[in-house]
Structures are given as C-alpha cells and as structure tokens.
Amino acid sequence: MEYEAVIGLEVHAELKTGSKAFCNCTTAFGGEPNTHVCPICLGLPGVLPKINRKVVEFGLKAALALNCQVASFCKFDRKNYYYPDLPKNYQISQYDLPLARHGFLEIEVNGEKKKIGIARVHMEEDAGKLIHVDGSGGGYTLVDYNRAGVPLLEIVSEPDLRSPAEARAYMEQLKAVLEYTEVSDCKMQEGSLRCDANVSVRPLGSREFGTKTEVKNMNSFRALQRALEYEIERQIAILESGGRVVQETRGWDESRGVTVSMRSKEEAHDYRYFPEPDLVPLVIDQEWIEKVRRELPELPNSRRERLIRDYGLPPYDAGVITSSKALADYFDRAVALFPDAKQVSNWLMGDFLRLLNASGLEPDASPVKPEGLAELLKLQQEGTISIKIAKQVFEEMFATGKGARQIVEEKGLVQISDAGELAAIVEKVLAEHPQVVADYRGGKDKALGFLVGQVMKATRGKANPALVNQLLKERL
Amino acid sequence: MAITLKEVEHVALLARLYLSEEEKQAYTQQLNSILEYMQKLNELDTAAVEPTAHVLPLKNVLRDDEVRPGLPREKALAGAPEAQDGQFKVPRVV
Amino acid sequence: MELYYLTAHELGDLLQRKEVSAREVAESFLERLETVDVKVRAYLTVTPEKALEQAARVDAARARGENLSPLAGVPMALKDNLCTEGVRTTCASKMLAEWVPPYSAFVVRRLEAEGAVMLGKLNMDEFAMGSSNENSRFYPVHNPWDLERVPGGSSGGATAAVAAGEACYALGSDTGGSIRQPASFCGVVGMKPTYGRVSRFGLVAFASSLDQIGPITRDVTDCALVLQAIAGHDPYDSTSANLPVPDYRAVLTGEIRGLKIGIPKEYFPEGMEGEVARIVKRAIGRLSDLGAICEEVSLPHTEYALPAYYLVAPAEASSNLARYDGVGFGLRVEGNDIIDMYMRTRSEGFGAEVKRRIMLGTYALSSGYYDAYYLKALKVRTLIRRDFEQAFKRFDVLATPTSPTVAFRLGEKAGDPLAMYLSDLFTIPVNMAGLPAISIPCGFSQGLPVGLQLIGKPFDEETLLRVAYAFEQNTDYHRRRPELGV
C-alpha cells in the first residue's frame, strides 16, 4: 500500500527583546548561571509580572508577516504543570484567545509552490535550563534560571505538510520570515529556534488522520528532515505489519538516527489553564495593526521575486540568496557596487557560502565585506587577474581580511597580458614538449589544453588564458 | 457531581500533595459537602453572561523594553534549600 | 492614656510638637508588646532593633528641622504576608518559616518613606486562608476582648495587635473579608480599598483577582492617613489603577446630610445573630439621624457570592501556591526523586486548610470541570458586580453588618470548614465586585465588638471615610480599649 505522511510543526522562537517578557532582566545568551535573574523571573512569593511592549510588537510583526488575522482582544493564561525549570510551576502563555490565527506560509519544493496553513501564533515565556549530573543514587539536577522568562513566540502550523522535505522547507521559510522581520535570532544550536513535530501516516487517498506521535529534540534542519523520515518509515512499518501506532512523545536521537519513546509521565497532562489574573487583556486596534504593518520589511518571498524580476536571477539562485536576510542584504550591497548580478550570485553561492559554512559564520560577520567582493570582481572583469587567481585571492581575503587589490599587488598576481612576454614563455614550453606538439599537429586537440596548462604553470597562473590560447594557436 | 475518593487521589497528584488515608477520607467528605453547596450556582442561568476575570476595565498595561540589573547571584540563591556551582540543586529529574 | 493606646494622628501631633520622641513612643509599644503578646500572640516576628533604629532616624530628622509625614515615628506592624527585605516573611506557614525576602513590598517601601517605625510581623491564617486565625502554623491569636475567642481572620494578628496596643496601626490583606471581619471581631477600623487602589507587589498572593492590601487602625482619621500613604499607582503591578489619589483627610467633615445609603436586605438573613442585626440597624439609624437618607435595596445574587468565591479563590490559590515546591526557596523535605521531593515538601509545608483549598481549586480547574465550576463562578461574578452597579445608581454607599456574628470561641468552628466559610458571607461579595469597603466599630454585644460595614463605589474610598467619620464623631466605640487583665 502507498502511504502519505501528515505533519504539523509547532515552532518556538525566542524573541530578541532586550529584557525578558515580564521583568527587566536581560535576555542576553550565555552568562554565568543565575546571573540574569530577579525576584520576578525567579517566581519569588509576592512578585507580579508586567508585559514587555516589545514582545507584543514583535509578536504582531511576525503574525502579520505570516499572513495571520490578529485578534482584536487577547489575554494571557496560566499553564499549570510541575517541572523544576519552571520557577512558578506555571507558564504564562496564551490559551483560548491567542495573539493571531489563520495565517499561511508559502513554500516551494521541487519547483512546486504550496501554502501551509498557520493555525495560531501566541506569546509565552521560556523556562530555565536543567543540567543533569550523573552520580550515586541516580545523580542530581542543577537549575539555571537565566532563560526563565525570556519571551517566546509559539507558531503552530496546520497539519498541511506531506513530506519531510516540505517540513524542512516550511521551517527554513519560517526562519527566514522571523529573521527578515528581525524578531528572532533563530539560532537552532543556541535553542532560540526550536521545533516539535506531530507526525502521522495514512493510506494515500484516505481523508482520515492516523494516530500521531510527537517528535522532539530536533536541533537542526537536517535533524528535522532525518527524524521525520525515520518516524514516517517507522509508522509505516508498524501499519504494514498489522500493528497500531501508539500516541506518544518520541525524542530524536541524533547519534543513533532513531526516534525513541520518551517515558510517558505517570499521569496524563492536565494543564488547568485559566486566565492570568496578574495581567490585563490586550486590545489591539486596527491603528496599531496598520502601524506595525507599515513597518514590516520586505519579506523573503517578495524579495525572491524581486531578484528574479530585476536581476534576471534563476529562481534557484534567488531562493538560496533570499533564504537568509543577511545574505540577501549582502547581495544587494555587492550588486550596487558590481552590477553583474549573476556573477555576484555565483560567487555568493559558491566560494562565499562554502567558506562561511566552514567557519560557522553568518554572512554579516564575513571577513570579506560586499565592497571587498565587488573590488575583487572588478579586478577580474578588467582582466587584472584571472578567475583562477580570483578564487585564490578570495580565500586570502577571507583568511586575512585584506583587500583584493592589496593581495594582488603584494603577491604579484597581476595577470600577464603582455604578448611579447608571453610569447617567450610559449616558445619555451613548445620547445620542452615536442611530442605533445606533434600530437596536436597530428589531430589531438586535447593536447592544446596540456600546453596551456604548462604556460599557466610557468607563470604561476598569472598568464591571461585567452591570450595564451591565441598565441599557442598562432604558433602551431 | 460528587467527587470520588479516586478523584481526590488524582487531584492530589495534580497538586503534588501526599494525603494519608484519613486525609483522603476527610477531604472526600469535606469537598463533597462544599461542592454540594456550590450546586447552588446551577440555579442561575448564565448562558448569556460574560465571565468576569478582571474587575477593573484595564487593558494594554505594558512596560518599555528596558534592561535593569537583577539580583546578585548570592542573593538569588540565598533562599535555596540546596545550591551548587551557582545553581539550584534538586533531585534528579527524569 | 498610655502612648501605646493613642491613635496615629494623636501620636503624630505629640511627636510634631516634640512632646515625646519617636524613641519613647517605640519603647512604649515594645514594652506593651512584651507584656501582652504572651496572651494575645499577635506577633510572629518582633523587630525591636529595627524599630528603635527607625525611631532614632525620625528623631534625628526632626531635630534637623525636616518636614515630616504625620506617620513619621508612629509604630506599626505588618501582616506576615507582606514582603520585608531582610526580615523573614512566613505567611504563618511552615513552608516559609525561614524565608527572608530579598525585596520589600511596594506598601512597605511607601511606609518606610513616610518614616514609619516597624515593630514586627503579624500572625495570620496560613497564606491568608481562614476566618479565625486558627490556621496559623505557629500558634493561634487570641481576641484581646476575650482571650477564649478568636480575633477573626485572616488578618487576626493585625487587628488583635492594634486592639491590644501592640501596634498603633497595621497593614493587612483582604481577599474575602480578611481585614474587615477581624476588624469587626476586634473592635478596630479596617478598610479594604478598591481592587487596584493599592499595589499588590510584594503581597504574597492568595487569590490574585481578589487580594487587596488595606489599613487596620484605631479610628477613621488614621485609616485616611494610612490609606493616603499606601494608595496610588505602581508601574510594577499591572492591575494597579493609574488614577489620582485624593486628599482623604479633607473629606473627614462629619457632614453626611442628604447622602443616600442603601441597606441591602439580603445582609440581614434569618438565622443571623439577632443582637448583631439589632446593633447594626441601630447604627444605621444613627446615620439617618445625622441626615443621611437610608433606604432598603436588594442585591439579589448575594447568596451566590460565597459559593462562587470558594471556586474562584481556591482556583487561583492552587496556581499561586504551586511555586512552593522545595526548589528555589522555603522548605524542602528530601525525597527519592523530584516528584517525591515536591510531594513531601508540600504535604508537610502546608496545613490542612491550605491543602483543602489547593485540592478544591485544582479540582475546579481540572479538565472536565472547568466550565461547570470555574467558568460558572466567573459568570456569577458578573451577576454580583451588576447587582452592585444597579444599587449604586441609586445610592452613594451601602451599609451592612460586617459579619453575621461576633467573635466565636477558639475551636468552635475548626472542624467544619463550611461553617467557617459562612463567617465571610457579608464581606465576600465586595471582593468579588472589587469594591472598597470599611468596617468600623458600631457597638458591643455581650462585651464583644460588632462591626458596621460600609461599601462604596469603585475608587470612592472618600465617601466611605466621610460616612465612617461622621458615625465615629457621634459615638465612642472606637475609644474603648480591651481590659486584657494587665
């Protein structure tokens, strides 16, 4: 039988406000344990929360960017459960009246566009960090409340995703939107962007949902895709063998490449939601919404369309470049200085991203700035350096932060375009390889490439390849 | 809607309370008489009534996104039953 | 009269005229406290060093010729659910027996700025849950008018201390009557301001949508003075109203002619103590004599307030009290794993009434029961508010008994939670509607004080004070002091 997967994603993004959601403690990442805390985020007796305006504004921004309907009236609720990372043993969240609902995000997989529904967007507070220490008697756990109270946006998709690839594309697109709107850093490794998935499978064509499992602990796009692939296969295998999928929470084990059942709690969850009495409701009028809407930046999809339309970039290139706001910004600045957009895009998608990924840097932290790249491309275009040398210079620029022209001059990498100088070298090469010359004359066209290579070698790559070709052909 | 002993046990677990057998019995009986008294509320038709979660008509009480220093770590941990390496220490979780 | 039995405004005058020093006043109270608190047991923590230090500061400031608040140098004490930096704040619970807050409540900082002298922290029902003070995990408080009787609760330590000369005034908290009912039982003035009038920041939460801090004093003038000091907007309490605070002393004119006072008939139910009803009616008659227009009114949903309250308050409490888990502060009882530790800590840390309310509240919020109980109660809350809104279209103030009874005997209702809850029958609707109300002494029944409750429109504490003051000017119940046999 053929099966189809049904996937919904529940994403948590930490909002990059300066202070926490309900107190004035910093949200800065890192810091010694329990140094970004106060009576409020420690949940000491007697304290009261006070909502950070920016949390609401960032929430609105994201909601509008995700095409949601913003609630004119929303409120906070308490979600009650006991866990030591939660100082009050309840989380301030939103339950029946969230900030926004009914949005969508457009994704593209294998050239096909698809709208993925967004069920809801709501605000809540993050929990602290637990470190489990092994030891006698089962060990112990240490608690750091620096992250407790950091604002989160929870974004819940509809179960519209049908494959791990779609889920990944959705997640990448969502990350891009949150980055473009500058509401979250979206660093999956630091945990500022997290994602849980609800997964089920059903016979292709069926309209009913199968039993779902919730998959957690996926800390990268790759992990998300692999975990879903595994989980879908696992569920199909169960159904194929006549078994039944158990509704449960499963954790992705990255090293083993499997999902593992997370021991179900000794009781069913009963969060006992009720309206947070310490916070008053939010009434969001049209004026506020419009103000936020006017401040929205260009979003990934429209930017992608713009790159295709204005620069004639292939859709694939435009997609890669606009997947990160920083990369797209980099592209815009570089193109402003060096208008051959395709060339810029080739460089960004090639050596630039390769070196960035290798060093784990974001585009805006690259040692080579757009000005530097443009300078390099100009040197190449003028014929001062060859493309091969340009690649070498780029690596050098990336490693040292020096300018292209400086490196070219220091290392004497200027291309040799002087016909007289090159003719002498060509003569020498021909003299050294009489057999190859004979082969070429005998009809072996390939032999020419060898000879060009020898000239390039003799000039340490600086010879103008076109001129070398021309000279060789004249002499042969 | 009487509360059973079993429900009392479930609620006690939700509330993280151990109850002795006598307490379970006593709470079952007391909660039942209280809940019976609550049945009085069902005399009222509230289908068309909005709930009151807040008595004051306040809305949009927001603060600016300002960072201020919190507690020094010694003070944050001063009340902790047990602490280690600048962190709160608890029996192993999971 | 001894210094310890003077009112704050009387002491303030003496201090201002330099007839006594703040030190002498503080010493008088500390001495009194030492003598009588073995019987009354109003205090959980006494802070004599702090009191004398604060008194010395006031004396020094006065010597420098500084312009001081009328409350400067007047000794007071705080219900032990108000956080005091550096001074343990127990909520009369084993859970917080050793807890020392790293911050002070908004109202505490306000009073400190006024030059208040703090004598210590006052006994109460554990986490403010109770109507008799017998739920203190330390020891019960005894009513200064009859040591065999309860002082009321939950601010029983506060009202007993003020009545017995152990503090000139106190701050209490009132969630369902916890200031007014014990004020009535102890023959002192107690006010619950409008919800939002006084910041709750630093008040250990019981039921957040109902809790309010208020003054407990020996007369209405002191009530106005203390309210003046603690009222006003606090940016750290989202439910604090951003409204100007009027000059409360300015309304103490004694003039109430033409004022319309409603007498809700539901507040004189059958089965109520006849003597209490008679004394309260006589007091209302006195208000008529002073020119007020008193007429009967109906608040038809009154009888539903109590059952609705006992769903809303425990529900909020069950969540507010979840933080007492042995992790960050307070008591921990070691266990085999985290859940075992939680459960041992909470079972030992909380007393029977607190556990009962946590159970009730948890049940009311749990899935399957939310709509039937909690949501239903919130809707009934709307009906109760509407009753008052209707009544206040016609009346400026409502007058009722504060409690259906006078102070009862220790142990008398301890075994019957529901009977105990009924003690707050007349005070609870006020919290449900968020209104201001004051209880003032209006007579004695067999030597025990009876309280008159006046209920006002939202943020109209002024009219309450005005009526209460007019009554007080024409009676002398507020001048009586218990014998205490010392």
Side-chain angles (χ1 to χ4, degrees), chain A residues 62 65 79 87 92 101 109 111 113 136 172 197 211 220 236 274 286 317 373 433 440 449 452 467:
Chain A
K79 180 180 182 178
I92 303 178
R101 293 188 212 249
V109 176
K113 285 184 181 169
S136 59
E172 284 174 341
T211 306
S220 66
I236 291 173
F274 75 103
Q286 213 49 41
D317 288 32
L373 179 63
H433 299 92
Y440 180 76
V452 171
L467 193 54

Side-chain angles (χ1 to χ4, degrees), chain A residues 55-214:
Chain A
V55 171
V56 182
E57 285 174 355
F58 280 6
L60 283 175
K61 246 184 176 180
L64 292 176
L66 295 170
N67 310 295
C68 287
Q69 291 169 20
V70 172
S72 57
F73 179 97
C74 78
K75 66 180 171 74
F76 288 93
D77 300 276
R78 291 188 186 175
K79 180 180 182 178
N80 295 283
Y81 64 96
Y82 285 84
Y83 210 63
D85 62 1
L86 209 54
K88 307 182 289 292
N89 285 322
Y90 61 79
Q91 180 192 32
I92 303 178
S93 180
Q94 297 192 283
Y95 183 50
D96 54 339
L97 297 172
L99 179 66
R101 293 188 212 249
H102 308 309
F104 67 87
L105 196 55
E106 199 172 70
I107 60 167
E108 191 172 320
V109 176
N110 300 329
E112 267 184 60
K113 285 184 181 169
K114 185 172 173 183
K115 266 187 190 177
I116 305 301
I118 288 174
R120 55 184 280 150
V121 174
H122 78 244
M123 301 171 279
E124 61 184 29
E125 56 179 338
D126 207 348
K129 195 171 89 185
L130 302 181
I131 296 168
H132 306 295
V133 184
D134 290 323
S136 59
Y140 55 90
T141 296
L142 296 176
V143 194
D144 169 13
Y145 289 123
N146 281 353
R147 305 312 292 163
V150 169
L152 292 178
L153 212 57
E154 180 174 319
I155 300 154
V156 183
S157 86
E158 297 287 358
D160 290 348
L161 300 158
R162 292 290 173 269
S163 70
E166 284 187 11
R168 180 180 181 149
Y170 168 84
M171 192 65 186
E172 284 174 341
Q173 188 63 20
L174 181 56
K175 176 177 187 269
V177 168
L178 296 175
E179 279 179 351
Y180 272 57
T181 46
E182 297 181 312
V183 301
S184 176
D185 279 333
C186 293
K187 292 181 180 154
M188 289 184 91
Q189 291 80 4
E190 286 182 9
S192 67
L193 186 71
R194 311 192 278 264
C195 144
D196 302 332
N198 285 309
V199 192
S200 63
V201 296
R202 62 183 175 192
L204 196 61
S206 162
R207 306 198 63 176
E208 276 163 40
F209 291 121
T211 306
K212 67 180 178 185
T213 58
E214 188 181 8

Side-chain angles (χ1 to χ4, degrees), chain C residues 80-402:
Chain C
D80 210 18
N81 58 354
L82 292 165
C83 288
T84 42
E85 184 175 350
V87 177
R88 75 167 186 164
T89 299
T90 69
C91 291
S93 179
K94 206 168 162 182
M95 193 62 95
L96 293 177
E98 310 296 332
W99 185 59
V100 178
Y103 77 102
S104 284
F106 174 88
V107 290
V108 174
R109 281 181 277 125
R110 276 288 190 90
L111 288 182
E112 279 172 354
E114 298 274 325
V117 170
M118 186 178 92
L119 298 168
K121 307 294 293 287
L122 297 163
N123 208 345
M124 55 188 280
D125 284 301
E126 185 181 13
F127 283 104
M129 296 178 189
S131 309
S132 70
N133 236 290
E134 292 163 293
N135 296 336
S136 167
R137 296 299 296 287
F138 293 91
Y139 34 79
V141 180
H142 298 258
N143 192 317
W145 294 92
D146 178 350
L147 294 170
E148 301 297 307
R149 288 176 187 266
V150 303
S154 66
S155 311
T159 55
V162 172
E166 298 185 66
C168 182
Y169 68 93
L171 293 187
S173 69
D174 190 317
T175 306
S178 280
I179 288 174
R180 290 158 291 154
Q181 184 256 23
S184 157
F185 282 15
C186 290
V188 296
V189 174
M191 176 188 265
K192 181 201 95 75
T194 313
Y195 185 82
R197 178 88 279 183
V198 178
S199 166
R200 293 183 293 119
F201 200 96
L203 165 67
V204 179
F206 161 13
S208 314
S209 77
L210 300 157
D211 295 342
Q212 190 65 189
I213 299 166
I216 292 160
T217 60
R218 291 186 180 144
D219 70 5
V220 175
T221 306
D222 280 8
C223 183
L225 279 176
V226 178
L227 180 62
Q228 196 80 54
I230 62 172
H233 182 240
D234 174 9
Y236 285 93
D237 176 356
S238 303
T239 61
S240 154
N242 196 353
L243 294 172
V245 178
D247 178 357
Y248 292 118
R249 261 188 107 165
V251 301
L252 307 180
T253 58
E255 179 54 65
I256 57 166
R257 268 178 295 181
L259 210 78
K260 295 201 182 73
I261 300 179
I263 320 297
K265 63 178 185 195
E266 291 82 3
Y267 285 67
F268 296 88
E270 282 177 39
M272 179 180 169
E273 247 178 61
E275 184 70 358
V276 171
R278 198 184 57 73
I279 289 169
V280 171
K281 281 182 177 159
R282 190 184 64 200
I284 292 166
R286 183 66 68 99
L287 294 173
S288 291
D289 297 344
L290 294 170
I293 301 159
C294 299
E295 283 171 22
E296 194 179 85
V297 64
S298 173
L299 300 170
H301 296 97
T302 300
E303 60 177 320
Y304 302 103
L306 192 71
Y309 171 88
Y310 275 99
L311 290 168
V312 173
E316 291 181 12
S318 71
S319 173
N320 284 332
L321 270 61
R323 71 192 65 197
Y324 306 101
D325 61 359
V327 175
F329 48 84
L331 179 77
R332 171 187 293 185
V333 180
E334 295 298 340
N336 299 325
D337 56 37
I338 186 89
I339 294 178
D340 189 40
M341 187 278 277
Y342 283 158
M343 295 184 76
R344 285 175 192 243
T345 298
R346 291 170 60 77
S347 302
E348 194 167 323
F350 293 136
E353 181 61 25
V354 173
K355 282 191 250 188
R356 180 155 41 240
R357 296 205 199 184
I358 290 174
M359 291 288 293
L360 185 55
T362 304
Y363 179 70
L365 289 177
S366 63
S367 64
Y369 298 104
Y370 182 87
D371 286 6
Y373 288 120
Y374 189 72
L375 188 64
K376 180 84 185 180
L378 292 187
K379 289 178 165 191
V380 172
R381 199 172 175 182
T382 305
L383 298 176
I384 293 159
R385 285 175 60 200
R386 285 190 199 153
D387 277 2
F388 282 110
E389 279 165 18
Q390 284 301 317
F392 282 122
K393 284 182 186 163
R394 278 173 62 204
F395 298 99
D396 301 301
V397 168
L398 305 176
T400 78
T402 305

Side-chain angles (χ1 to χ4, degrees), chain B residues 1-3 7-9 11-19 23 27 30-31 33-35 37-56 58 61 68 71 75-77 79-82 88-94, chain C residues 85 102 195-196 209 236 238-239 301 303-304 306-308 310-311 326-330 332 334 337-338 340-344 346-347 352 355-356 358-360 362-363 369 372-373 375-376 378-383 385 417-418 421-422 432-434 459:
Chain B
M1 233 190 286
I3 183 168
E7 277 180 303
V8 165
E9 285 173 347
V11 171
L13 180 61
L14 278 180
R16 297 288 185 261
L17 292 170
Y18 279 129
L19 299 182
E23 280 178 311
Y27 281 136
Q30 288 168 352
L31 291 182
S33 72
I34 294 166
L35 290 170
Y37 180 58
M38 307 295 183
Q39 296 308 316
K40 204 173 176 46
L41 298 178
N42 293 330
E43 295 167 8
L44 298 171
D45 178 6
T46 52
V49 181
E50 283 295 309
T52 293
H54 291 278
V55 286
L56 295 184
L58 292 171
V61 178
R68 296 210 202 108
L71 285 174
K75 272 196 159 187
L77 293 166
E82 203 178 353
F88 297 89
K89 186 176 175 183
V90 298
R92 190 177 169 96
V93 178
V94 303
Chain C
E85 184 175 350
Y195 185 82
S209 77
Y236 285 93
S238 303
T239 61
H301 296 97
E303 60 177 320
Y304 302 103
L306 192 71
Y310 275 99
L311 290 168
V327 175
F329 48 84
R332 171 187 293 185
E334 295 298 340
D337 56 37
I338 186 89
D340 189 40
M341 187 278 277
Y342 283 158
M343 295 184 76
R344 285 175 192 243
R346 291 170 60 77
S347 302
K355 282 191 250 188
R356 180 155 41 240
I358 290 174
M359 291 288 293
L360 185 55
T362 304
Y363 179 70
Y369 298 104
Y373 288 120
L375 188 64
K376 180 84 185 180
L378 292 187
K379 289 178 165 191
V380 172
R381 199 172 175 182
T382 305
L383 298 176
R385 285 175 60 200
L418 200 51
Y421 297 170
L422 287 166
M432 292 295 272
F459 300 100

